Amino acid sequence: MKNILLAILSGIILAMGWPTYGFPFLLFVAFVPLMFAEFKIRNFSSYSKLKTFGVAYLTFFIWNLITTYWIYFSTPFGGAFAILANSLLMSVVFLLYHVVAKRTNFTAASSFLVSIWIVFEKIHLNWDFSWPWLNLGNGFSEYHNLIQWYEYTGTFGGTLWIWLVNIAAFKAVLLYREFEDKAVIYRGIFKTSLLLIIPISVSYIIRYNYEMPERSLEAVVLQPNINPYTEKYNTNDARIATLLTDIAEEKTTESTALLVAPETVFADGTVLQEFGNSEAAYFGRQIVRKYDNLNFLGGVSFYQRFSDPAQVRRQSNQLGPNDWYDDYNSAFLISDGESQLYHKSKLVVGVENFPYQSFLKPILGDVMIDLGGTVAMKTTQPEREVFQLDNGAFTAPIICYESVYGEYVTGYVRNGAEFLTIITNDAWWGDTQGHEQHLSYAKLRAIETRKSVVRSANTGISAFIDPLGDVGKTLEYEKRGSIKSDVLLNDEKTFYVKYGDYISRVAQFLALFIFLFAMVKYKRHRPA
């Protein structure tokens, strides 16, 4: 029973430390109760693997449930699947730590735990069931002044920091339990304090010495506030264009360089090859002609139908014999020059992407793709497209879920982006933590790349974010209107942009080495 209570305590502390309502310093001790429960099970219980998995699952289920329950409002099946499956994966990771800890010393086991958790987070960024929402480094997004050094490490630096402090605190607990000496506690507090104070001090030094870029442009963000369940797919593109025109005229002037509308704001479904004749393109041309320096960036839904089997891709949708189509969630830029297009390439699992179809479709049917306002697999593109404005500035057209992926976003910057534009539609989750967390994570991308962020959300929260992660002007949830601000331009590339998730690459090697060492050592010393 005590182990169950310890597991519950860890889950609650993790949830209480999570953005946007939480206090992230709780994350530095959140795993200690769970680690202590595992220690007792490992040393004093039979069936230790099963019991360790059980307490771990309880911890991670509580954490996932409290922090990501809001997925249910978009898709009940997807919400339940995300919470249950993610809890399962986290529990398997912790079980691997238990297996290694039984065969090695404290230092090796702790190093393995840190490494294998980072490997798990890295996998979650790249495989078809990608769901990195609860990657630990995201936990500081509301207290971004603590992690200005993400420009060197990305969010894996935050994950590493959290685990190191948890392990230091856990070691102090074990030592005190063994020796019952208050000096042990004092030394533990001192070491843990250093692990906290040094990174925080470095962060504030970086922030204090950072010089803001001098170049800028004026941007206006539109927030049409269209309910996706009752309005969006029942309102044609012509009416959307009229609405956007009315909102745009509130703030747009001759000095405005960029006008931004949210993801799939033009949702009728435009034939890709006929984009030039679409309502979306017509609106873009009309609005930029009214103002000398204006460029328009917005979201549009495309499709491309074909009968040639040679054109079929993994993400193509079949209607019938020799009848397929590709479905795109895209961004477009209209300027005095030619239009520019980008197709969303990090897809939402179960809504835009059906993972491992050959295995799952016979079991689940179409349940995973008939969700969230879409009934088709989305088609992606291999490269990160960068849009060039008439004034020569370059921006990254980041669509919704893509903004959660740190190394992925660096691809836009390596291709020349001088600021980040995020277009999204967070209305699927209602007025919950979902849209607030999504905005909060955008601050991490600003810090990692030292790029300003222009964010247009259909129902909110639209915002401007500077290269230090500070949020400027915002338009709150379920408010229709526009906001205007100067956006700083920066063509420099941070250490993280250049080298990406190098911490995870080191962790992969270390986790494999320690695991093999533990298994070989155990076999050599196991009684015959």
Side-chain angles (χ1 to χ4, degrees), residues 26-206:
L26 292 173
L27 299 175
F28 292 120
V29 296
F31 290 103
V32 173
L34 176 62
M35 295 174 74
F36 188 64
E38 184 278 331
F39 174 81
K40 293 200 299 178
I41 291 170
R42 185 195 336 146
N43 289 283
F44 306 110
S45 297
S46 56
Y47 304 104
S48 63
K49 293 185 181 67
L50 182 61
K51 292 178 180 178
T52 296
F53 180 83
V55 295
Y57 195 89
L58 181 57
T59 289
F60 298 130
F61 175 76
I62 292 170
W63 180 27
N64 277 265
L65 179 64
I66 294 175
T67 54
T68 61
Y69 72 92
W70 42 265
I71 307 171
Y72 175 87
F73 293 99
S74 170
T75 154
F77 176 85
F81 181 84
I83 291 168
L84 295 172
N86 206 42
S87 303
L88 172 65
L89 294 171
M90 290 176 171
S91 302
V92 169
V93 171
F94 197 77
L95 179 61
L96 288 174
Y97 157 69
H98 169 75
V99 171
V100 170
K102 292 183 71 172
R103 293 160 171 79
T104 59
N105 59 31
F106 180 88
T107 301
S110 300
S111 300
F112 178 77
L113 175 57
V114 177
S115 300
I116 196 64
W117 191 276
I118 290 175
V119 170
F120 158 69
E121 290 191 350
K122 182 62 176 178
I123 291 171
H124 238 350
L125 287 164
N126 291 290
W127 71 323
D128 281 355
F129 274 116
S130 178
W131 178 241
W133 206 268
L134 294 185
N135 282 11
L136 289 173
N138 295 337
F140 299 105
S141 61
E142 284 296 284
Y143 288 70
H144 59 281
N145 288 333
L146 305 179
I147 42 89
Q148 292 294 319
W149 38 266
Y150 272 21
E151 67 168 294
Y152 297 99
T153 68
T155 57
F156 284 116
T159 299
L160 177 61
W161 191 25
I162 288 171
W163 273 117
L164 289 178
V165 177
N166 270 276
I167 288 168
F170 175 56
K171 184 176 182 180
V173 170
L174 292 184
L175 289 174
Y176 179 74
R177 182 174 179 270
E178 181 176 356
F179 298 106
E180 296 185 353
D181 184 355
K182 290 184 179 180
V184 172
I185 293 295
Y186 296 147
R187 287 195 297 270
I189 292 174
F190 177 73
K191 292 177 182 178
T192 303
S193 297
L194 285 180
L195 284 172
L196 290 172
I197 292 171
I198 292 174
I200 292 172
S201 299
V202 170
S203 183
Y204 275 95
I205 290 171
I206 292 172

Side-chain angles (χ1 to χ4, degrees), residues 288-334:
V288 301
R289 285 171 185 166
K290 290 183 178 181
Y291 306 93
D292 290 339
N293 303 305
L294 190 63
N295 302 261
F296 175 77
L297 191 157
V300 62
S301 177
F302 284 128
Y303 72 93
Q304 183 178 21
R305 195 168 178 177
F306 55 92
S307 58
D308 183 2
Q311 293 181 250
V312 175
R313 292 182 266 187
R314 185 173 62 92
Q315 297 159 325
S316 297
N317 303 275
Q318 188 164 17
L319 293 170
N322 293 324
D323 190 5
W324 295 272
Y325 73 98
D326 288 334
D327 195 37
Y328 301 90
N329 181 350
S330 305
F332 69 98
L333 181 81
I334 299 291

Side-chain angles (χ1 to χ4, degrees), residues 137 147 149-160 406-407 444-445 447-448 495-497 500-503:
I147 42 89
W149 38 266
Y150 272 21
E151 67 168 294
Y152 297 99
T153 68
T155 57
F156 284 116
T159 299
L160 177 61
E407 189 175 52
L444 304 177
R445 308 290 85 81
I447 293 169
E448 290 167 344
F495 186 91
Y496 179 67
V497 167
D501 292 331
Y502 62 91
I503 291 177

Side-chain angles (χ1 to χ4, degrees), residues 210 212-221 255-261 293-298 332-334 340 384-399 403 408-423 442 445-456 463-468 485-494 497:
Y210 182 76
M212 289 291 187
E214 296 181 356
R215 297 166 52 232
S216 65
L217 58 79
E218 182 181 283
V220 172
V221 168
S255 59
T256 305
L258 181 64
L259 183 67
V260 185
N293 303 305
L294 190 63
N295 302 261
F296 175 77
L297 191 157
F332 69 98
L333 181 81
I334 299 291
Q340 301 168 57
R384 306 289 67 75
E385 196 80 21
V386 175
F387 289 166
Q388 183 175 11
L389 280 60
D390 281 340
N391 63 6
F394 291 89
T395 189
I398 302 168
I399 304 176
S403 65
Y408 181 88
V409 169
T410 67
Y412 296 100
V413 179
R414 288 194 297 273
N415 286 338
E418 297 171 289
F419 68 100
L420 312 178
T421 302
I422 298 174
I423 59 174
R445 308 290 85 81
I447 293 169
E448 290 167 344
T449 63
R450 292 301 180 202
K451 300 292 182 284
S452 298
V453 175
V454 179
R455 189 177 196 269
S456 174
F464 291 96
I465 304 172
D466 73 17
L468 289 171
S485 180
D486 289 335
V487 178
L488 300 175
L489 306 179
N490 179 14
D491 60 4
E492 295 181 1
K493 296 178 175 61
T494 64
V497 167

